[in-house]
């Protein structure tokens, strides 16, 4: 069955900074809807008062990776899109995919090895057959 | 005026302190709500749990001991602050029994030729510590489980996961728990070969027993192909023939190894555990209610 890999989202922002305006709007308008639509993700909203670090959305996944995304000067809709993107990801590292194809069954009839299609010794040189 | 920032020459030291700090449980770091996390866990696994049963499932006996120890050290009276937690050993036992019975039932249905020892080996592998603790780690049970040491040792994780299965059994009944066990344990068998899981010392003897049960004559080993006989790495293909008809063929470095491998291939074919068998059936079960009742009466 499908298990969402995102465990929790922590929204760290400041209630007075100017670049956290989108974060504050997100908390007022869309945070509850997002939490209702994704009941298996725990959403923590923690405003830290006073000037502090930039507003950040921290995502923790089931395999332990923690991903931080800056949400400074982003609108509320952009933050919603970002949150859904993080919710649909798995916690694997984002690296270059070496090849865009993968198959679990690389060979249907058996992989070729030098002895396929060679008749066995018993058909050539059995106990009663003459060697050809 | 803007507040004074941390001194530039202090930053390296603070960074070193942060990196060298010992690992802490997630429950001790900021932003943690146990009730919300447990609700999220039940939604993540798409199961309805009775939440109090689930909370008892996460309590381990080592946690209860450490809590009583702490209360004694703080000098609190035992009656004043009584610890009203039950631990998860009962739930874990029930979960383990149900999981073993259900998995054995599944394998008997899917591989009817497999002998009892093989089924037992498969079930032991699936309920072994490493596998269950691996599954538990990837379902974030290590954050929710209450235990004395951090990081939680694999037997604690195994006990907690089995207790979760026991709690599900109590809340939702044997059918849903059976589907849960099937969805989380059986995919761990993908890509595994039968004899990686089941250690067989004498495959030839086992093969002879199986063939006598089916009234087929003893197999005759013959060399089918050979490559590089006089080199350091020879390859012999030994075929097992019964009444002049081929049973199985296996490669090996020496003749003995090739014969043993051929016996193993023959056993795989007989038990129906080859690589090209039909994949496991994960569709919704409509029948088998009588079977579930049989399991729940175990």
């Amino acid at each position: 069955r499908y298990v969402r890999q995102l465990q929790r989202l922590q929204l760290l922002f400041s209630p007075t900074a100017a670049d956290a305006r989108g974060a504050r709007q997100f908390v007022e308008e869309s945070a509850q809807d997002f939490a209702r639509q994704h009941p298996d993700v725990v959403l923590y909203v923690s405003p830290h008062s006073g000037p502090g670090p930039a507003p950040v959305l921290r995502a923790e996944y089931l395999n332990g990776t923690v991903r931080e995304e800056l949400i400074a000067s982003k609108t509320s809709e952009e933050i919603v899109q970002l949150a859904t993107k993080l919710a649909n990801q798995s916690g694997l590292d984002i690296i270059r995919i070496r090849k865009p194809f993968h198959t679990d069954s690389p060979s249907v009839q058996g992989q070729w090895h030098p002895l396929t299609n060679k008749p066995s010794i018993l058909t050539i040189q059995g106990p009663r057959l003459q060697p050809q | 005026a803007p507040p004074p920032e941390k001194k530039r020459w202090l930053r390296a030291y603070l960074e070193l302190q942060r990196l060298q700090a010992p690992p802490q449980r997630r429950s001790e770091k900021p932003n943690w709500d146990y009730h919300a996390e447990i609700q999220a866990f039940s939604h993540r696994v798409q199961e309805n749990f009775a939440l109090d049963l689930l909370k008892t499932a996460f309590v381990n006996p080592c946690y209860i001991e450490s809590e009583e120890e702490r209360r004694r050290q703080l000098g609190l009276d035992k009656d004043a602050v009584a610890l009203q937690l039950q631990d998860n050993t009962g739930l874990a036992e029930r979960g383990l029994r149900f999981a073993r019975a259900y998995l054995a039932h599944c394998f008997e249905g899917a591989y009817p030729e497999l002998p009892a020892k093989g089924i037992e080996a498969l079930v032991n592998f699936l309920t072994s510590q490493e596998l269950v603790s691996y599954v538990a780690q990837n379902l974030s049970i290590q954050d929710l489980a209450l235990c004395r040491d951090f990081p939680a040792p694999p037997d604690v994780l195994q006990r907690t996961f089995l207790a979760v299965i026991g709690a599900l059994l109590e809340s939702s009944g044997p059918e849903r728990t059976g589907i849960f066990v099937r969805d989380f344990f059986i995919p761990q068998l993908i890509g595994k070969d039968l004899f990686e899981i089941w250690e067989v010392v004498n495959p030839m003897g086992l093969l002879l027993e199986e063939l006598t049960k089916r009234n087929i004559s003893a197999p005759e080993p013959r060399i089918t192909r050979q490559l590089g006989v006089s080199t350091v790495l020879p390859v012999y293909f030994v075929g097992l023939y019964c009444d002049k008809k081929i049973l199985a063929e296996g490669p090996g470095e020496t003749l003995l190894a090739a014969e043993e491998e051929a016996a193993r291939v023959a056993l795989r074919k007989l038990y129906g555990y080859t690589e090209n068998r039909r994949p496991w059936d994960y569709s919704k079960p409509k029948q088998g209610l009588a079977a579930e009742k049989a399991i729940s009466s175990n």
Side-chain angles (χ1 to χ4, degrees):
Chain A
R1 63 184 63 173
Y2 175 64
V3 172
R4 193 184 288 277
Q5 293 290 315
L6 181 64
Q7 250 188 325
R8 53 189 84 92
L9 274 174
Q10 294 173 26
L11 189 55
L12 310 164
F13 64 102
S14 147
T16 38
D19 51 1
R21 183 167 65 111
R24 290 192 288 270
Q25 275 180 341
F26 170 73
V27 166
E28 279 167 26
E29 298 156 12
S30 351
Q32 242 191 5
D33 301 325
F34 180 81
R36 265 181 235 280
Q37 280 159 12
H38 304 257
D40 41 7
V41 175
V42 191
L43 181 63
Y44 293 101
V45 172
S46 54
H48 44 76
S49 54
V56 94
L57 184 61
R58 192 184 293 163
E60 287 176 42
Y61 291 94
L62 286 181
N63 56 0
T65 31
V66 177
R67 217 171 135 206
E68 297 194 351
E69 299 265 339
L70 280 182
I71 43 177
S73 316
K74 282 208 164 90
T75 57
S76 177
E77 289 90 16
E78 281 175 24
I79 296 180
V80 166
Q81 280 170 8
L82 185 63
T84 36
K85 178 188 98 161
L86 289 172
N88 294 334
Q89 274 180 351
S90 88
L92 301 167
D93 309 329
I94 298 180
I95 48 173
R96 177 179 67 95
I97 308 178
R98 283 173 209 264
K99 34 182 145 164
F101 33 83
H102 167 79
T103 165
D104 282 328
S105 48
S107 128
V108 173
Q109 295 177 5
Q111 238 189 6
W112 184 91
H113 52 89
L115 291 169
T116 39
N117 299 335
K118 277 215 160 86
S120 78
I121 298 180
L122 298 173
T123 39
I124 304 181
Q125 204 185 28
R128 287 188 201 106
L129 291 171
Q130 258 67 55
Q132 290 159 5
Chain B
E5 289 182 347
K6 292 194 172 56
K7 304 289 178 196
R8 200 193 150 92
W9 42 263
L10 204 50
R11 271 184 235 158
Y13 176 71
L14 289 175
E15 186 68 23
L16 195 63
Q17 292 290 86
R18 192 179 70 98
L19 289 171
Q20 282 176 346
Q24 270 180 325
R25 291 199 184 105
R26 183 64 186 83
S27 36
E28 282 153 24
K29 295 189 190 158
N31 281 335
W32 175 260
D33 183 7
Y34 195 60
H35 186 76
E37 293 280 339
I38 291 202
Q39 280 178 328
F41 176 76
S42 64
H43 280 287
R44 199 178 294 142
V45 185
Q46 295 169 12
E47 295 286 346
N48 283 334
F49 284 95
L51 285 178
D52 44 344
L53 271 178
L54 193 53
K55 285 191 181 174
T56 34
F58 283 119
V59 176
N60 286 296
C62 50
Y63 179 73
I64 296 187
E65 282 163 14
S66 66
E67 280 290 296
E68 294 199 342
E69 196 45 64
R70 227 175 53 173
R71 274 158 214 252
R72 252 180 282 138
Q73 275 175 1
L74 289 170
L76 289 168
D77 202 11
K78 241 192 172 166
D79 302 322
V81 197
L83 199 56
Q84 277 152 354
L85 292 175
Q86 293 169 339
D87 56 15
N88 59 4
T89 32
L91 285 172
E93 266 175 73
R94 260 173 281 168
L96 180 63
R97 241 182 302 140
F98 176 82
R100 290 182 74 102
Y102 180 79
L103 286 170
H105 176 78
C106 276
F107 289 135
E108 272 158 30
Y111 308 114
E113 318 278 320
L114 203 51
K117 269 199 291 194
I119 296 188
E120 199 192 310
L122 281 173
V123 171
N124 283 345
F125 170 72
L126 285 180
T127 45
S128 64
Q129 260 186 28
E130 311 98 40
L131 202 125
V132 178
S133 59
Y134 173 73
V135 176
Q137 285 257 344
N138 289 55
L139 282 175
S140 79
I141 287 183
Q142 86 277 15
D143 288 335
L144 294 167
L146 302 167
C147 71
R148 186 184 43 195
D149 338 285
F150 177 76
D155 55 324
V156 167
L157 287 174
Q158 184 196 22
R159 206 181 331 143
T160 324
F161 193 48
L162 293 170
V164 166
I165 297 179
L168 182 59
L169 184 60
E170 304 275 308
S171 351
S172 317
E175 283 171 28
R176 286 225 56 142
T177 323
I179 300 178
F180 180 89
V181 168
R182 180 199 72 181
D183 281 341
F184 282 101
F185 281 101
I186 302 218
Q188 302 293 327
L189 282 177
I190 294 176
K192 293 257 181 351
D193 186 37
L194 181 63
F195 295 112
E196 279 176 35
I197 305 172
W198 179 22
E199 290 265 350
V200 162
V201 177
N202 185 14
M204 206 61 188
L206 196 57
L207 181 64
L208 284 168
E209 279 174 28
E210 288 290 321
L211 291 177
T212 42
K213 264 192 254 175
R214 287 152 223 246
N215 287 333
I216 309 177
S217 58
E220 200 193 317
R222 299 261 182 151
I223 303 178
T224 338
R225 309 158 209 272
Q226 51 187 14
L227 287 181
V229 175
S230 50
T231 58
V232 169
L233 296 171
V235 171
Y236 295 101
F237 271 77
V238 163
L240 293 172
Y241 288 86
C242 298
D243 293 330
K244 316 235 176 75
K245 275 192 229 150
I246 185 112
L247 184 59
E249 202 191 0
E253 280 223 355
T254 58
L255 283 168
L256 281 173
E259 200 185 316
E260 202 190 304
E261 186 59 37
R264 279 180 205 265
V265 172
L267 281 171
R268 274 187 212 122
K269 269 199 203 159
L270 285 174
Y271 295 149
Y273 207 92
T274 50
E275 273 198 35
N276 57 354
R277 64 183 185 271
R278 277 207 96 113
W280 194 272
D281 180 27
Y282 288 102
S283 53
K284 288 197 188 54
K286 289 165 212 119
Q287 74 287 3
L289 292 168
E292 310 300 346
K293 286 195 182 86
I295 291 167
S296 58
S297 65
N298 275 5

